Amino acid sequence: MTNRLKKIFAVVIPASAVLAAGAAWFVTRLPASSFEKTGSQEEPSAQLVARGEYVSRLTDCVACHSVPGGAAYTGGLKMVTPMGAIFATNITPDRETGIGAYTLADFDRALRSGVAKDGHRLYPAMPYPSYAKLSDDDVKALYAYFMKGVPAVHQENRESTIPWPLNMRWPLAFWNVVFAPSDVYRPDTSKDAQWNRGAYLVEGAGHCGACHTPRSLAFNEKGTDSHSAAFVSGALIDGWFAPSLRNDPNTGLGRWSEDDIFRFLKTGRNDHAVVFGSMTEAFNNSTQFFSDDDLRAVAHYLKSLPGNAQRDGTPWKYEPTQAAVVQPAGRQGIPGAQTYMAKCSFCHGTDGRGQGQWVPPLAGAASSLVPDSSSSINVTLNGSGRVVAAGVPDSYRMPSYREQLSDGEIADVLTFIRSSWGNRQPPVAKGDVKKLREQTVPASSSPVILKTR
Amino acid sequence: MELNINGIQHHVDVEPDTPLLWALRDDLAMTGTKYGCGLAQCGACTVLVDGQAVRSCVTPVEKVAGASITTIEAIEQDDLGKRVVAAWVKHQVPQCGYCQSGQVMAATSLLRQVPHPTDADIDAAMVNLCRCGTYNAIRAAIHDLASGSTDGGA
Ligand code: FES
Ligand code: FES
């Protein structure tokens, strides 16, 4: 080897060793927690535990960390990613299989930084990029609740099915640097207190963006706060199109008042819509338990997010049902019209306007006006889950039509719905129905409702 | 809640989202209207609201307060309804009978809208289910009614 080469190696090898060591340190290091100095805590007050229980409703931990039939917070929910399935973990205070050995600082790192006690990086299916915005007080309360308010259950976690090398977690440390906000919510001083509370709930605790914000190729949410036009602008997730929560005139909340939003989150329904798809679970276990003030704050904040009038085109306007559809003879010439009259019209009305707040309209509904037809297809195939408001199950529920209607019939009836009453979407493809039929299962009529007392 | 049923004003003490079927059967003891599925799938619960066939199991009472509701108990007070029932008897349509109050309502509503329905019209409008398979008898009775050979006294 020439001297020159030797010299180069003499520099390059130690340098890369230092870099590698640095990187290794970086990807396994425990991020800072504001609770590092907090020693072994004194017994939390009952008040703090109760406060934590409320925060757990805001953050809706139970949505993922429980499965039907399983004990609360023991995990097990399967989440399918393009690389394989991952399973939510046991977060009861069991010392071996749960988080019983976690200190407040450990808990904080998992919650707000996505790093488990042993240093491994959590997948961002755990919405820590949103939870990063939680206040220290709320984290403390949540910890008190999980340690003292939740019964410990011994239940092993399930391994993910993501194969090597994709299952290596350390690259997530770099993902976090680029994509995960790492600061608590900072109030915008140009806005009032109610707006700021709403922002805290929507962007942070409620992690609405986890479903409603579109993700880019690296799976990060394209926007994480009110400054981004992509934030909660609607996204496809798990076979549902979570609609825009911005003021888009057709596909968002443009036609909803603050009071409409409040009632939707409080009772699960209003004259525009009834919760369905994954929102049923978010309602059953989370939003209905928000205090009225918190829900009003959410509504106030959401109504401040501008819509995209250009994307939506002409604002929707109701048009009456074509006369032929109402005639037994006439409707047979219109694809989908007979199925609509025989299967849908008794609830949603021959006029497509539903029945007050009890049965949602299809005319002008976001699901009918958004170009992605997944939600329309999914709810027709699988029906909707039971909505349980204040302990009372709903009287009216969308049944599953997967056994009754073929792919072609579903495509036709949805094409009819999505092009009637002022709705103007192109035909629904039979192939899309087929695909979703294979990927989804009927909604359960016995929902998981967490009883915390 | 005030409901006008078969020409009589009834007061029922129920939540506004209560299905009309519950108000009829449980509160007013009018059990001629049947409960099949509760999900708008079968038609056993069909009644007429302002002459239109609706499925009472998915109709919130709030929606029909102020409307004129007709149930099977009073269908024969209506001329057309009376003829339909007579044709049903003549053709011995019912088997177990469970779906038939709904079928009679659906047929009455169809004949009011289309006095001389074709087979295709019948297929399009008569979508109530019958476990006993009385569909052919229903079709024959409706054709009979359309041709006018069944009068009220038959
Ligand atoms: S009971 Fe109403 S349609 Fe079946
Ligand atoms: S006669 Fe028995 S269900 Fe129709």
Side-chain angles (χ1 to χ4, degrees):
Chain A
M1 208 182 284
T2 67
N3 263 346
R4 206 177 124 76
L5 258 183
K6 269 189 197 154
K7 265 192 208 146
I8 292 176
F9 272 103
V11 175
V12 167
I13 292 177
S16 15
V18 167
L19 273 181
W25 167 81
F26 179 76
V27 300
T28 54
R29 112 206 124 93
L30 291 180
S33 159
S34 28
F35 301 111
E36 254 140 47
K37 302 266 145 42
T38 322
S40 62
Q41 294 94 36
E42 66 291 9
E43 191 69 9
S45 66
Q47 206 184 350
L48 189 64
V49 174
R51 168 77 200 159
E53 182 193 319
Y54 179 68
V55 177
S56 81
R57 289 300 194 180
L58 302 177
T59 49
D60 200 8
C61 309
V62 74
C64 294
H65 289 280
S66 302
V67 286
Y73 299 123
T74 50
L77 183 79
K78 181 176 178 179
M79 289 181 240
V80 183
T81 78
M83 284 121 34
I86 56 178
F87 298 89
T89 54
N90 183 342
I91 54 167
T92 71
D94 181 60
R95 288 192 75 84
E96 279 144 38
T97 59
I99 59 169
Y102 275 53
T103 63
L104 174 55
D106 295 335
F107 180 79
D108 176 26
R109 284 189 203 99
L111 190 65
R112 291 194 292 192
S113 308
V115 177
K117 186 178 171 65
D118 65 6
H120 82 258
R121 265 56 188 167
L122 305 182
Y123 288 110
M126 161 74 177
Y128 60 86
S130 302
Y131 294 160
K133 297 188 181 183
L134 288 173
S135 69
D136 284 1
D137 281 352
D138 280 352
V139 173
K140 230 163 58 195
L142 211 46
Y143 179 71
Y145 169 63
F146 274 103
M147 293 302 136
K148 302 294 168 195
V150 173
V153 179
H154 188 90
Q155 186 173 306
E156 293 293 342
N157 289 322
R158 289 181 66 179
E159 286 297 319
S160 91
T161 65
I162 300 180
W164 189 86
L166 294 173
N167 65 351
M168 290 192 292
R169 306 273 197 132
W170 58 264
L172 285 164
F174 297 108
W175 188 93
N176 289 340
V177 172
V178 186
F179 298 122
S182 58
D183 204 2
V184 295
Y185 179 74
R186 301 261 173 246
D188 179 341
T189 48
S190 70
K191 301 288 201 320
D192 60 26
Q194 190 188 35
W195 187 95
N196 276 298
R197 178 66 183 163
Y200 176 77
L201 292 167
V202 172
E203 299 172 8
H207 62 286
C208 307
C211 291
H212 291 273
T213 302
R215 291 176 189 256
S216 60
L217 282 177
F219 298 119
N220 58 303
E221 292 167 30
K222 283 184 180 161
T224 54
D225 59 31
S226 62
H227 299 295
S228 160
F231 182 62
V232 295
S233 63
L236 182 66
I237 179 160
D238 288 344
W240 297 102
F241 189 84
S244 168
L245 306 181
R246 307 177 66 89
N247 277 282
D248 303 281
N250 293 343
T251 59
L253 302 178
R255 277 178 279 126
W256 295 35
S257 66
E258 281 187 32
D259 201 52
D260 289 336
I261 299 175
F262 171 81
R263 279 197 300 124
F264 186 75
L265 298 173
K266 179 94 192 162
T267 65
R269 54 185 72 244
N270 63 23
D271 285 348
H272 300 284
V274 175
V275 292
F276 71 107
S278 334
M279 191 63 199
T280 308
E281 288 142 41
F283 168 78
N284 280 344
N285 278 301
S286 180
T287 66
Q288 67 173 313
F289 297 100
F290 284 35
S291 69
D292 286 5
D293 282 350
D294 276 353
L295 285 184
R296 299 241 176 247
V298 166
H300 181 61
Y301 167 79
L302 289 178
K303 283 306 283 182
S304 79
L305 302 177
N308 183 343
Q310 210 179 344
R311 177 180 80 173
D312 275 15
T314 328
W316 172 83
K317 228 178 112 247
Y318 183 75
E319 285 166 17
T321 316
Q322 306 166 57
V325 174
V326 189
Q327 297 297 325
R331 60 178 171 260
Q332 290 165 68
I334 305 170
Q338 173 60 23
T339 306
Y340 182 81
M341 293 300 281
K343 304 285 179 191
C344 320
S345 70
F346 294 106
C347 297
H348 295 287
T350 49
D351 60 2
R353 300 189 111 160
Q355 310 201 46
Q357 61 175 313
W358 309 115
V359 178
L362 302 175
S367 58
S368 305
L369 297 177
V370 75
D372 189 298
S373 57
S374 302
S375 288
S376 304
I377 297 173
N378 202 337
V379 78
T380 310
L381 281 170
N382 300 311
S384 58
R386 176 155 277 157
V387 181
V388 184
V392 183
D394 52 3
S395 307
Y396 307 101
R397 205 152 27 91
M398 173 77 179
S400 159
Y401 284 94
R402 86 168 31 233
E403 308 292 341
Q404 287 191 47
L405 299 176
S406 68
D407 294 340
E409 285 167 329
I410 290 181
D412 281 351
V413 74
L414 292 178
T415 297
F416 171 77
I417 289 167
R418 289 164 61 87
S419 61
S420 296
W421 314 299
N423 301 343
R424 290 204 206 299
Q425 288 304 315
V428 170
K430 193 169 148 185
D432 289 346
V433 181
K434 182 168 185 288
K435 230 187 292 157
L436 268 175
R437 184 189 290 273
E438 285 157 8
Q439 291 167 357
T440 57
V441 293
S444 161
S445 61
S446 25
V448 193
I449 311 255
L450 176 72
K451 292 226 175 48
T452 54
R453 43 185 97 231
Chain B
M1 192 85 49
E2 298 298 320
L3 295 177
N4 182 326
I5 303 165
N6 302 331
I8 299 165
Q9 205 66 19
H10 291 272
H11 179 83
V12 286
D13 195 13
V14 295
E15 297 290 322
D17 64 326
T18 306
L20 173 61
L21 180 62
W22 297 163
L24 290 173
R25 292 184 57 90
D26 293 357
D27 294 87
L28 299 169
M30 299 171 75
T31 52
T33 307
K34 301 301 181 203
Y35 166 54
C37 62
L39 286 166
Q41 305 278 290
C42 70
C45 65
T46 307
V47 301
L48 300 182
V49 172
D50 295 333
Q52 286 281 330
V54 308
R55 298 193 166 177
S56 60
C57 69
V58 290
T59 303
V61 285
E62 180 184 66
K63 186 89 193 296
V64 292
S68 150
I69 302 161
T70 308
T71 69
I72 190 73
E73 281 86 356
I75 193 69
E76 286 175 282
Q77 288 167 19
D78 172 271
D79 277 350
L80 179 57
K82 191 168 182 179
R83 289 178 53 227
V84 171
V85 173
W88 247 240
V89 173
K90 177 176 164 201
H91 287 265
Q92 290 291 294
V93 175
Q95 288 299 314
C96 80
Y98 199 80
C99 71
Q100 296 297 336
S101 58
Q103 304 282 11
V104 166
M105 295 319 228
T108 307
S109 167
L110 166 65
L111 287 161
R112 185 154 292 139
Q113 197 188 4
V114 187
H116 302 285
T118 61
D119 273 342
D121 290 336
I122 296 173
D123 288 345
M126 298 297 291
V127 290
N128 289 9
L129 302 182
C130 172
R131 291 171 301 178
C132 301
T134 61
Y135 303 109
N136 291 338
I138 289 173
R139 184 184 306 272
I142 293 177
H143 279 313
D144 202 356
L145 283 156
S147 69
S149 70
T150 310
D151 64 32

